[in-house]
């Protein structure tokens, strides 16, 4: 979860499943990779931004279509460098106000996190 003030970074998926829908920057962990390394790497690959993790926000389970169970770990992060640009499997990357998110948001776990983030920011 990368924010600029009250705006949150989302990426539009370039490939199936859920092509053309939006998500928080996420991805799969490599076999020899630490989970925190995965989070930092995936943000860089999808957004061009270099980040430092600042905390654990949530852990959710879900299903990656068609039927692959996943566990998604959401960290908060802050920018330390890079330039915002869609990369890897993202068609677009940008920051959005939580009350003006693009849609649809691809996965239920991401929708839950965005709702929780909105409640936290909105008080």
């Amino acid at each position: 979860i990368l924010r600029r003030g009250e705006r949150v970074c989302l990426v539009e998926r370039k490939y199936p499943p859920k092509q053309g829908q939006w998500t928080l920057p996420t991805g799969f962990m490599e076999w020899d990779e630490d989970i925190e390394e995965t989070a930092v790497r995936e943000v860089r690959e999808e957004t061009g931004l270099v980040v430092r993790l600042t905390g654990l926000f949530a852990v959710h389970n879900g299903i990656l279509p068609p039927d692959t169970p996943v566990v998604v770990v959401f960290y908060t992060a802050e920018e330390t460098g890079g330039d915002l640009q869609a990369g890897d499997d993202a068609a677009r990357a940008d920051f959005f106000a939580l009350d003006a998110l693009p849609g649809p948001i691809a996965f239920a776990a991401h929708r839950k996190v965005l709702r929780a983030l909105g409640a936290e920011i909105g008080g």
Side-chain angles (χ1 to χ4, degrees), residues 40-60:
V40 170
R41 176 183 54 77
E42 286 291 343
V43 170
R44 176 110 192 214
E45 287 178 0
E46 293 188 357
T47 70
L49 298 173
V50 179
V51 299
R52 180 182 73 81
L53 301 183
T54 57
L56 176 65
F57 189 82
V59 178
H60 291 289

Side-chain angles (χ1 to χ4, degrees), residues 19-113:
Q19 180 178 2
Q21 296 185 26
W22 293 84
T23 68
L24 293 157
T26 55
F28 290 101
M29 192 168 99
E30 303 295 334
W31 285 109
D32 61 346
E33 190 173 41
D34 181 80
I35 195 165
E36 289 87 4
E37 290 176 83
T38 300
V40 170
R41 176 183 54 77
E42 286 291 343
V43 170
R44 176 110 192 214
E45 287 178 0
E46 293 188 357
T47 70
L49 298 173
V50 179
V51 299
R52 180 182 73 81
L53 301 183
T54 57
L56 176 65
F57 189 82
V59 178
H60 291 289
N61 63 309
I63 300 292
L64 183 66
D67 60 1
T68 303
V70 294
V71 173
V72 188
V73 180
F74 295 91
Y75 289 98
T76 55
E78 64 183 11
E79 288 180 67
T80 61
D83 294 307
L84 183 63
Q85 59 187 355
D88 195 31
D89 57 352
R92 291 189 284 171
D94 208 345
F95 286 82
F96 299 91
L98 288 163
D99 61 357
L101 297 175
I105 303 300
F107 303 112
H110 294 243
R111 293 190 294 272
K112 287 178 191 175
V113 165

